[in-house]
Amino acid sequence: AQSVTQPDIHITVSEGASLELRCNYSYGATPYLFWYVQSPGQGLQLLLKYFSGDTLVQGIKGFEAEFKRSQSSFNLRKPSVHWSDAAEYFCASGGYNKLIFGAGTRLAVHP
Amino acid sequence: SQTIHQWPATLVQPVGSPLSLECTVEGTSNPNLYWYRQAAGRGLQLLFYSVGIGQISSEVPQNLSASRPQDRQFILSSKKLLLSDSGFYLCAWSRSGGYNEQFFGPGTRLTVL
């Protein structure tokens, strides 16, 4: 069965530092992959998506993600984190008419 | 452009009372519609999804039900709420057919006392 794993439940970084959030998927064929962000008390916002083509995907808010088939990974990166990036981040894999979500990574940003 | 609405934004209900949460989508037709729940500090749990009017798929057996009376309206209901029904309820939509991204509403915070 398709699954998505986010190994890190909580991550804390300093403002201005770089960020990498990990995501691993299990799927036999080429997956459809997504990253969402959720601020407290809000809905989820789509940051970026990968369907095919270039394995480095650019998203909103300065985020990017790289699809690595050999590692079954789709890690999210940002070169310099802002305090407003503190939120929960969800990786998801596309199933037919459904998405399979990871458990989420909560990001805290220290000033 | 498409927009998705949920109401109410917050709700406090006693145990055993009924529930009705509503979700509507504008700017698209024949969307797939989804209900998710987030318990405190937990991830997203898919409750129901619908690919068309009157078509409901249940992912988790529980005392909740869903209905889709119109193309862009999705309702989550319960006849008798339990304490364990407390949580943050999210509605989402996607284009029909295939492996599409979902777009989420602002959510409803439900507290059952």
Side-chain angles (χ1 to χ4, degrees), chain B residues 57-75:
Chain B
S57 296
S58 175
E59 292 293 299
V60 182
Q62 57 210 325
N63 73 319
L64 298 172
S65 62
S67 62
R68 184 171 177 174
Q70 300 180 45
D71 182 45
R72 290 169 288 179
Q73 184 184 30
F74 205 23
I75 297 171

Side-chain angles (χ1 to χ4, degrees), chain B residues 26 28 32 36-37 42 48 54 68 88:
Chain B
E26 297 176 353
T28 187
N32 290 351
Y36 291 87
R37 178 171 60 200
R42 314 267 308 261
F48 302 94
R68 184 171 177 174
F88 192 53

Side-chain angles (χ1 to χ4, degrees), chain B residues 31-34 48-57 67-68 74:
Chain B
N32 290 351
L33 296 171
Y34 307 84
F48 302 94
Y49 72 95
S50 170
V51 298
I53 295 174
Q55 300 178 63
I56 308 295
S57 296
S67 62
R68 184 171 177 174
F74 205 23

